[in-house]
Amino acid sequence: MFRLYTKTGDDGTTGLFGGPRVSKDDARVQAYGAADETNATLGMAVAVCADGDARLAEVLLDLQSRLFDLGADLATPPGTAHESKVHRLTSEDVQQAESWIDEIDGDNAELKQFILPGGCDLAARLHLARNAARRCERAMVTLHQSETVNEHAMHWINRLSDLLFAMARAANRLHGIDDIPWTPRD
């Protein structure tokens, strides 16, 4: 029987895939943990997709798989024994994200002002996911300051937050809800 607990992390360390044991607050662990958190927020968004959101749900499910790839990429230091078992994000993944941004944002109204995160339930969850993606990007930048990080993964995570913003606006549009404009103080 496979148990979910191993007790090997009780000392505050975890094993990298094909690499050494490191502290659970290691920059690499922070980065792949942030990718996992982003993936969970996308799952929350998929959970409320309605019939009219089918295209958004389809893209979100693909993004969840790519985030799983990203987590594996980040958990596997370059040059380790299991590196060949990991799909590292590529320029094609970045191009796919850009294509989805163009497709999804193409039907949105031109953005003429800052908007507040919110609207329908799906849009609010997508804005939350966008914030998680930005946190993941910051963790990856921190890791990149001391270790090698796949450059395509860096580009992809940057595109992901833009895509989630476009998707949040599209969700509101599909649900008949206008963007909520930011009202600056006079």
Side-chain angles (χ1 to χ4, degrees):
M1 175 180 179
F2 177 77
R3 296 185 189 262
L4 291 178
Y5 58 89
T6 63
K7 300 182 184 179
T8 59
D10 290 351
D11 65 352
T13 65
T14 190
L16 299 176
F17 190 54
R21 292 196 69 76
V22 296
S23 174
K24 288 185 178 182
D25 68 352
D26 181 85
R28 187 168 291 282
V29 178
Q30 294 286 343
Y32 72 70
D36 188 42
E37 178 186 2
T38 304
N39 205 336
T41 62
L42 293 188
M44 290 177 56
V46 171
V48 298
C49 285
D51 290 342
D53 305 317
R55 180 63 178 142
L56 296 180
E58 178 184 356
V59 172
L60 287 168
L61 289 170
D62 191 275
L63 291 172
Q64 284 192 279
S65 290
R66 296 300 66 76
L67 277 163
F68 204 87
D69 291 338
L70 176 63
D73 185 333
L74 293 168
T76 310
T80 57
H82 298 302
E83 185 174 17
S84 65
K85 298 176 184 176
V86 174
H87 168 78
R88 299 213 186 261
L89 294 176
T90 66
S91 62
E92 287 78 23
D93 295 308
V94 176
Q95 290 168 358
Q96 177 63 71
E98 291 171 352
S99 174
W100 283 330
I101 293 167
D102 294 341
E103 171 195 340
I104 291 168
D105 198 44
D107 290 330
N108 290 336
E110 182 182 353
L111 192 59
K112 297 180 180 182
Q113 60 191 21
F114 289 110
I115 61 169
L116 300 178
C120 70
D121 191 16
L122 176 56
R125 290 172 189 237
L126 288 165
H127 280 294
L128 184 63
R130 177 180 55 81
N131 277 293
R134 285 290 188 208
R135 185 170 31 259
C136 182
E137 182 179 21
R138 290 189 299 271
M140 290 171 65
V141 167
T142 298
L143 174 62
H144 184 63
Q145 291 172 359
S146 61
E147 297 186 47
T148 300
V149 176
N150 173 357
E151 72 174 314
H152 302 298
M154 296 288 291
H155 300 166
W156 185 85
I157 195 68
N158 187 39
R159 298 306 182 282
L160 178 60
S161 56
D162 295 333
L163 175 54
L164 294 171
F165 181 78
M167 292 177 85
R169 294 190 66 224
N172 278 335
R173 176 179 44 77
L174 291 168
H175 289 262
I177 297 174
D178 292 333
D179 288 326
I180 305 164
W182 166 53
T183 306
R185 291 196 179 233
D186 294 332

